[in-house]
């Protein structure tokens, strides 16, 4: 093999041949949902949990995938197995399954929409771009642009429309290259980072926003479970900016980052270090859950290059 394959509507095709119609509703209207896994040592982590969330997103968006849960799981696993020879030493995959509403119909023309479009693809985790975050921590910057209010779009549905977060990240990157956008909710409390959940540690207690205005991340839940297993107090609550910036430690969680320390918020460094004592324990606990030194994996790709979110 010299090229990765993708899955498109029942067929495994080389990436260069993978395509969807210009009339696809995911492209035309953003009528689409997705979920993303990552592999550790080539094996998908939390396969069922991510699929649970995809099924919930499909129901929320009223999209019929035209495939059973079992069929989607099998297609995902088959694709990863097919693409495993293309992984370079030390790398792992992001694995994404997207489902759109299918093709757009036009008045006065024969119906062309015969069902949903289902695409699955694998790309390498951006280990090189993000490695500096695991050495120096993330510089988080709060945006003026708030996260979409839950009354508009449920934050717990993973839709393909990421423009809200992408604009926030672009605005931060324009003034603070390498920094990661952190967005408030419509009430002015901290919500979530662009594509990741946010935690702080205050006097030994781990605090994170409730899922009223943020995605209930799978890795977020793993981190919460690790805290419970380690006897670290953890609480979900509204998180005002003043509380977040005055904490001793902070970290992000996401499918690809796992648990990654945040070094500063709006340029104000956290006093607990990188990582802080509590954050370090959670990172170690997370590594045990996934069965791999994921921090070491990132640091193996550390170079003198600038950090990048990869978004």
């Amino acid at each position: 093999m010299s090229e990765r394959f993708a899955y498109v509507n029942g067929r495994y095709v080389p990436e260069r041949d993978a395509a969807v119609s210009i009339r696809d509703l995911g492209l035309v209207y953003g009528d689409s949902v997705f979920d993303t896994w990552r592999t550790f040592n080539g094996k998908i982590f939390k396969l069922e949990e991510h699929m649970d969330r995809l099924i919930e997103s499909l129901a929320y968006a009223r999209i019929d995938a035209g495939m059973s849960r079992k069929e989607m799981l099998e297609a995902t696993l088959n694709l990863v197995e097919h693409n495993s020879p293309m992984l370079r030493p030390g790398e792992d995959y992001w694995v994404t399954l997207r489902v759109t509403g299918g093709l757009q119909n036009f008045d006065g023309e024969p119906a062309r929409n015969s069902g949903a479009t289902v695409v699955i693809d694998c790309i390498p985790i951006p280990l090189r771009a993000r490695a500096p975050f695991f050495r120096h921590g993330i510089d988080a910057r709060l945006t003026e642009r708030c996260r979409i209010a839950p009354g508009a779009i449920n934050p717990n549905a993973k839709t393909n429309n990421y423009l809200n977060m992408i604009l926030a990240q672009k605005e931060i990157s324009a003034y603070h290259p390498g920094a990661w956008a952190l967005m408030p909710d419509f009430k002015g409390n901290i919500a979530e980072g662009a594509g990741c959940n946010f935690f702080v540690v205050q006097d030994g207690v781990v605090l994170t926003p409730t899922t009223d205005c943020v995605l209930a991340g799978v890795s977020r839940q793993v981190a919460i479970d690790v805290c419970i297993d380690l006897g670290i107090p953890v609480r979900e609550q509204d998180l005002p900016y003043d509380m977040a910036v005055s904490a001793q430690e902070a970290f992000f969680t996401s499918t690809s980052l796992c648990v990654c320390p945040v070094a500063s918020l709006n340029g104000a460094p956290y006093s607990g270090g990188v990582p802080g004592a509590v954050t370090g324990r959670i990172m170690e606990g997370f590594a045990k859950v996934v069965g791999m030194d994921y921090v070491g994996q990132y640091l193996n790709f550390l170079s003198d290059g600038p950090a990048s979110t990869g978004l």
Side-chain angles (χ1 to χ4, degrees):
M1 287 179 61
S2 59
E3 182 179 358
R4 290 186 300 271
F5 274 62
Y7 173 97
V8 182
N9 289 338
R11 298 175 58 233
Y12 297 92
V13 297
E15 278 192 1
R16 66 179 178 274
D17 297 328
V20 297
S21 170
I22 63 169
R23 302 304 180 193
D24 192 275
L25 290 169
L27 174 65
V28 176
Y29 292 127
D31 181 14
S32 54
V33 299
F34 77 104
D35 218 297
T36 300
W37 297 261
R38 73 153 285 176
T39 65
F40 293 95
N41 290 322
K43 302 296 183 182
I44 289 181
F45 180 63
K46 294 293 183 180
L47 179 67
E48 298 289 346
E49 288 82 351
H50 282 280
M51 185 57 71
D52 286 343
R53 192 169 60 183
L54 177 64
I55 297 297
E56 291 170 1
S57 296
L58 286 166
Y60 175 78
R62 301 185 181 185
I63 296 175
D64 180 1
M67 297 174 67
S68 69
R69 176 195 180 94
K70 180 180 179 182
E71 288 170 333
M72 287 190 287
L73 286 170
E74 288 178 348
T76 302
L77 290 168
N78 288 340
L79 183 68
V80 172
E81 181 179 3
H82 200 80
N83 285 334
S84 60
M86 295 300 298
L87 274 175
R88 291 170 291 190
E91 291 189 334
D92 271 294
Y93 278 137
W94 254 336
V95 185
T96 302
L97 195 163
R98 297 177 176 87
V99 185
T100 84
L103 299 182
Q104 185 180 27
N105 289 322
F106 296 102
D107 183 51
E109 296 184 3
R112 65 179 69 198
N113 194 331
S114 59
T117 299
V118 180
V119 177
I120 313 172
D121 70 295
C122 300
I123 60 173
I125 298 287
L127 298 168
R128 295 160 186 81
R130 295 179 174 182
F133 296 140
F134 289 88
R135 174 59 58 83
H136 307 295
I138 292 173
D139 175 22
R141 297 277 174 168
L142 190 66
T143 68
E144 293 185 2
R145 184 181 300 275
C146 71
R147 194 73 179 93
I148 295 173
I153 297 178
N154 186 338
N156 285 291
K158 281 186 73 73
T159 73
N160 268 72
N161 192 334
Y162 259 37
L163 188 59
N164 178 234
M165 287 187 282
I166 293 299
L167 285 176
Q169 186 58 55
K170 285 182 176 180
E171 291 161 7
I172 290 299
S173 296
Y175 295 99
H176 305 283
W180 205 300
L182 180 62
M183 304 179 71
D185 64 25
F186 71 100
K187 297 177 290 185
N189 296 311
I190 301 293
E192 57 189 340
C196 52
N197 291 112
F198 183 65
F199 292 73
V200 299
V201 182
Q202 178 71 56
D203 299 326
V205 180
V206 174
L207 306 172
T208 193
T210 70
T211 57
D212 292 342
C213 297
V214 308
L215 179 71
V218 172
S219 296
R220 172 186 182 273
Q221 187 59 53
V222 174
I224 289 172
D225 293 341
V226 166
C227 288
I228 294 170
D229 290 343
L230 294 176
I232 299 171
V234 58
R235 189 162 67 238
E236 299 176 64
Q237 64 172 65
D238 285 343
L239 190 60
Y241 172 78
D242 289 347
M243 181 180 293
V245 78
S246 64
Q248 292 86 45
E249 305 175 34
F251 59 91
F252 279 139
T253 63
S254 77
T255 296
S256 55
L257 286 173
C258 305
V259 178
C260 185
V262 172
S264 59
L265 177 55
N266 282 3
Y270 284 106
S271 61
V274 179
V278 175
T279 301
R281 291 180 63 199
I282 297 169
M283 293 170 72
E284 290 174 1
F286 199 106
K288 290 181 180 178
V289 172
V290 303
M292 177 180 153
D293 179 10
Y294 72 90
V295 176
Q297 181 186 40
Y298 270 101
L299 293 178
N300 283 338
F301 290 89
L302 185 66
S303 68
D304 295 330
S308 170
T309 64
L311 298 174

PDB file of all heavy atoms in Angstrom, residues 5 49 60 65 68 74 100 108 178 205 211 219 221 223 231 233 260 265 294:
ATOM      1  N   PHE A   5      -6.746   4.430   2.559  1.00  0.00           N
ATOM      2  CA  PHE A   5      -8.075   4.279   1.992  1.00  0.00           C
ATOM      3  C   PHE A   5      -9.096   5.011   2.848  1.00  0.00           C
ATOM      4  O   PHE A   5      -8.855   5.288   4.025  1.00  0.00           O
ATOM      5  CB  PHE A   5      -8.445   2.797   1.894  1.00  0.00           C
ATOM      6  CG  PHE A   5      -7.956   2.143   0.624  1.00  0.00           C
ATOM      7  CD1 PHE A   5      -6.609   2.066   0.336  1.00  0.00           C
ATOM      8  CD2 PHE A   5      -8.867   1.602  -0.275  1.00  0.00           C
ATOM      9  CE1 PHE A   5      -6.169   1.451  -0.824  1.00  0.00           C
ATOM     10  CE2 PHE A   5      -8.434   0.995  -1.450  1.00  0.00           C
ATOM     11  CZ  PHE A   5      -7.083   0.921  -1.723  1.00  0.00           C
ATOM     12  N   GLU A  49     -18.315   3.986  23.136  1.00  0.00           N
ATOM     13  CA  GLU A  49     -18.759   5.272  23.681  1.00  0.00           C
ATOM     14  C   GLU A  49     -18.876   6.336  22.592  1.00  0.00           C
ATOM     15  O   GLU A  49     -19.830   7.119  22.560  1.00  0.00           O
ATOM     16  CB  GLU A  49     -17.809   5.734  24.785  1.00  0.00           C
ATOM     17  CG  GLU A  49     -17.900   4.949  26.072  1.00  0.00           C
ATOM     18  CD  GLU A  49     -17.109   3.642  26.054  1.00  0.00           C
ATOM     19  OE1 GLU A  49     -16.609   3.248  24.975  1.00  0.00           O
ATOM     20  OE2 GLU A  49     -16.993   3.009  27.120  1.00  0.00           O
ATOM     21  N   TYR A  60     -30.555  13.494  16.969  1.00  0.00           N
ATOM     22  CA  TYR A  60     -30.787  14.931  17.173  1.00  0.00           C
ATOM     23  C   TYR A  60     -30.945  15.642  15.827  1.00  0.00           C
ATOM     24  O   TYR A  60     -31.818  16.495  15.652  1.00  0.00           O
ATOM     25  CB  TYR A  60     -29.625  15.538  17.958  1.00  0.00           C
ATOM     26  CG  TYR A  60     -29.723  17.033  18.121  1.00  0.00           C
ATOM     27  CD1 TYR A  60     -30.589  17.597  19.068  1.00  0.00           C
ATOM     28  CD2 TYR A  60     -28.971  17.895  17.328  1.00  0.00           C
ATOM     29  CE1 TYR A  60     -30.700  18.969  19.208  1.00  0.00           C
ATOM     30  CE2 TYR A  60     -29.063  19.269  17.468  1.00  0.00           C
ATOM     31  CZ  TYR A  60     -29.934  19.796  18.406  1.00  0.00           C
ATOM     32  OH  TYR A  60     -30.037  21.172  18.549  1.00  0.00           O
ATOM     33  N   ALA A  65     -28.810   7.164   8.976  1.00  0.00           N
ATOM     34  CA  ALA A  65     -27.552   6.774   8.339  1.00  0.00           C
ATOM     35  C   ALA A  65     -27.736   5.680   7.291  1.00  0.00           C
ATOM     36  O   ALA A  65     -26.873   5.486   6.430  1.00  0.00           O
ATOM     37  CB  ALA A  65     -26.551   6.307   9.391  1.00  0.00           C
ATOM     38  N   SER A  68     -26.843   0.065  10.172  1.00  0.00           N
ATOM     39  CA  SER A  68     -27.023  -0.267  11.578  1.00  0.00           C
ATOM     40  C   SER A  68     -25.787   0.129  12.369  1.00  0.00           C
ATOM     41  O   SER A  68     -24.711   0.382  11.789  1.00  0.00           O
ATOM     42  CB  SER A  68     -27.272  -1.767  11.745  1.00  0.00           C
ATOM     43  OG  SER A  68     -26.091  -2.498  11.433  1.00  0.00           O
ATOM     44  N   GLU A  74     -18.336  -2.058  12.253  1.00  0.00           N
ATOM     45  CA  GLU A  74     -17.523  -2.968  11.443  1.00  0.00           C
ATOM     46  C   GLU A  74     -16.775  -2.212  10.350  1.00  0.00           C
ATOM     47  O   GLU A  74     -15.593  -2.481  10.090  1.00  0.00           O
ATOM     48  CB  GLU A  74     -18.408  -4.056  10.830  1.00  0.00           C
ATOM     49  CG  GLU A  74     -18.904  -5.076  11.845  1.00  0.00           C
ATOM     50  CD  GLU A  74     -19.813  -6.119  11.220  1.00  0.00           C
ATOM     51  OE1 GLU A  74     -20.243  -5.921  10.049  1.00  0.00           O
ATOM     52  OE2 GLU A  74     -20.112  -7.126  11.898  1.00  0.00           O
ATOM     53  N   THR A 100     -24.004  12.570   6.413  1.00  0.00           N
ATOM     54  CA  THR A 100     -24.752  13.741   5.954  1.00  0.00           C
ATOM     55  C   THR A 100     -26.164  13.342   5.563  1.00  0.00           C
ATOM     56  O   THR A 100     -26.491  12.160   5.454  1.00  0.00           O
ATOM     57  CB  THR A 100     -24.072  14.412   4.741  1.00  0.00           C
ATOM     58  OG1 THR A 100     -24.478  13.741   3.530  1.00  0.00           O
ATOM     59  CG2 THR A 100     -22.542  14.370   4.847  1.00  0.00           C
ATOM     60  N   GLY A 108     -39.210  20.179  -9.382  1.00  0.00           N
ATOM     61  CA  GLY A 108     -39.483  19.855 -10.773  1.00  0.00           C
ATOM     62  C   GLY A 108     -38.534  18.846 -11.374  1.00  0.00           C
ATOM     63  O   GLY A 108     -38.645  18.538 -12.571  1.00  0.00           O
ATOM     64  N   GLY A 178       0.021  30.064  18.061  1.00  0.00           N
ATOM     65  CA  GLY A 178       0.309  28.924  18.931  1.00  0.00           C
ATOM     66  C   GLY A 178      -0.593  28.822  20.135  1.00  0.00           C
ATOM     67  O   GLY A 178      -0.584  27.800  20.832  1.00  0.00           O
ATOM     68  N   VAL A 205      -9.071  20.660  44.267  1.00  0.00           N
ATOM     69  CA  VAL A 205     -10.352  20.213  43.701  1.00  0.00           C
ATOM     70  C   VAL A 205     -10.355  20.488  42.206  1.00  0.00           C
ATOM     71  O   VAL A 205     -10.011  21.588  41.753  1.00  0.00           O
ATOM     72  CB  VAL A 205     -11.538  20.941  44.371  1.00  0.00           C
ATOM     73  CG1 VAL A 205     -12.858  20.471  43.763  1.00  0.00           C
ATOM     74  CG2 VAL A 205     -11.523  20.702  45.879  1.00  0.00           C
ATOM     75  N   THR A 211     -22.246  20.212  31.376  1.00  0.00           N
ATOM     76  CA  THR A 211     -22.496  19.942  29.958  1.00  0.00           C
ATOM     77  C   THR A 211     -23.716  20.702  29.431  1.00  0.00           C
ATOM     78  O   THR A 211     -24.185  20.412  28.330  1.00  0.00           O
ATOM     79  CB  THR A 211     -22.676  18.436  29.724  1.00  0.00           C
ATOM     80  OG1 THR A 211     -23.746  17.946  30.554  1.00  0.00           O
ATOM     81  CG2 THR A 211     -21.395  17.694  30.033  1.00  0.00           C
ATOM     82  N   SER A 219     -13.284  11.875  26.372  1.00  0.00           N
ATOM     83  CA  SER A 219     -12.057  11.995  27.160  1.00  0.00           C
ATOM     84  C   SER A 219     -12.288  12.814  28.424  1.00  0.00           C
ATOM     85  O   SER A 219     -11.636  12.575  29.440  1.00  0.00           O
ATOM     86  CB  SER A 219     -10.949  12.628  26.317  1.00  0.00           C
ATOM     87  OG  SER A 219     -10.605  11.792  25.233  1.00  0.00           O
ATOM     88  N   GLN A 221     -14.945  12.582  30.210  1.00  0.00           N
ATOM     89  CA  GLN A 221     -15.478  11.621  31.176  1.00  0.00           C
ATOM     90  C   GLN A 221     -14.391  10.688  31.692  1.00  0.00           C
ATOM     91  O   GLN A 221     -14.394  10.318  32.872  1.00  0.00           O
ATOM     92  CB  GLN A 221     -16.606  10.812  30.542  1.00  0.00           C
ATOM     93  CG  GLN A 221     -17.338   9.916  31.529  1.00  0.00           C
ATOM     94  CD  GLN A 221     -17.950  10.694  32.676  1.00  0.00           C
ATOM     95  OE1 GLN A 221     -18.688  11.660  32.457  1.00  0.00           O
ATOM     96  NE2 GLN A 221     -17.654  10.291  33.913  1.00  0.00           N
ATOM     97  N   ALA A 223     -11.289  11.489  32.141  1.00  0.00           N
ATOM     98  CA  ALA A 223     -10.551  12.276  33.133  1.00  0.00           C
ATOM     99  C   ALA A 223     -11.317  12.354  34.448  1.00  0.00           C
ATOM    100  O   ALA A 223     -10.721  12.255  35.539  1.00  0.00           O
ATOM    101  CB  ALA A 223     -10.268  13.674  32.594  1.00  0.00           C
ATOM    102  N   GLY A 231      -9.204   9.310  43.955  1.00  0.00           N
ATOM    103  CA  GLY A 231      -9.629  10.017  45.161  1.00  0.00           C
ATOM    104  C   GLY A 231      -9.435  11.522  45.076  1.00  0.00           C
ATOM    105  O   GLY A 231      -9.362  12.205  46.100  1.00  0.00           O
ATOM    106  N   PRO A 233     -10.961  15.050  44.415  1.00  0.00           N
ATOM    107  CA  PRO A 233     -12.298  15.653  44.337  1.00  0.00           C
ATOM    108  C   PRO A 233     -12.512  16.311  42.967  1.00  0.00           C
ATOM    109  O   PRO A 233     -11.641  17.017  42.463  1.00  0.00           O
ATOM    110  CB  PRO A 233     -12.288  16.708  45.449  1.00  0.00           C
ATOM    111  CG  PRO A 233     -11.177  16.312  46.362  1.00  0.00           C
ATOM    112  CD  PRO A 233     -10.146  15.633  45.512  1.00  0.00           C
ATOM    113  N   CYS A 260      -3.933  17.353  28.551  1.00  0.00           N
ATOM    114  CA  CYS A 260      -2.764  18.178  28.241  1.00  0.00           C
ATOM    115  C   CYS A 260      -2.761  19.405  29.136  1.00  0.00           C
ATOM    116  O   CYS A 260      -3.794  20.083  29.268  1.00  0.00           O
ATOM    117  CB  CYS A 260      -2.779  18.597  26.779  1.00  0.00           C
ATOM    118  SG  CYS A 260      -1.302  19.498  26.252  1.00  0.00           S
ATOM    119  N   LEU A 265      -3.536  31.379  31.199  1.00  0.00           N
ATOM    120  CA  LEU A 265      -4.824  31.842  30.700  1.00  0.00           C
ATOM    121  C   LEU A 265      -4.727  33.342  30.471  1.00  0.00           C
ATOM    122  O   LEU A 265      -4.444  34.102  31.402  1.00  0.00           O
ATOM    123  CB  LEU A 265      -5.943  31.519  31.700  1.00  0.00           C
ATOM    124  CG  LEU A 265      -7.352  32.006  31.347  1.00  0.00           C
ATOM    125  CD1 LEU A 265      -7.780  31.510  29.968  1.00  0.00           C
ATOM    126  CD2 LEU A 265      -8.364  31.572  32.409  1.00  0.00           C
ATOM    127  N   TYR A 294       1.098   8.161  26.336  1.00  0.00           N
ATOM    128  CA  TYR A 294       0.757   9.057  25.230  1.00  0.00           C
ATOM    129  C   TYR A 294       1.571  10.345  25.281  1.00  0.00           C
ATOM    130  O   TYR A 294       1.845  10.959  24.238  1.00  0.00           O
ATOM    131  CB  TYR A 294      -0.744   9.364  25.221  1.00  0.00           C
ATOM    132  CG  TYR A 294      -1.202  10.284  26.333  1.00  0.00           C
ATOM    133  CD1 TYR A 294      -1.220  11.666  26.142  1.00  0.00           C
ATOM    134  CD2 TYR A 294      -1.610   9.790  27.562  1.00  0.00           C
ATOM    135  CE1 TYR A 294      -1.642  12.517  27.148  1.00  0.00           C
ATOM    136  CE2 TYR A 294      -2.022  10.628  28.573  1.00  0.00           C
ATOM    137  CZ  TYR A 294      -2.036  11.997  28.367  1.00  0.00           C
ATOM    138  OH  TYR A 294      -2.438  12.836  29.387  1.00  0.00           O
TER     139      TYR A 294
END
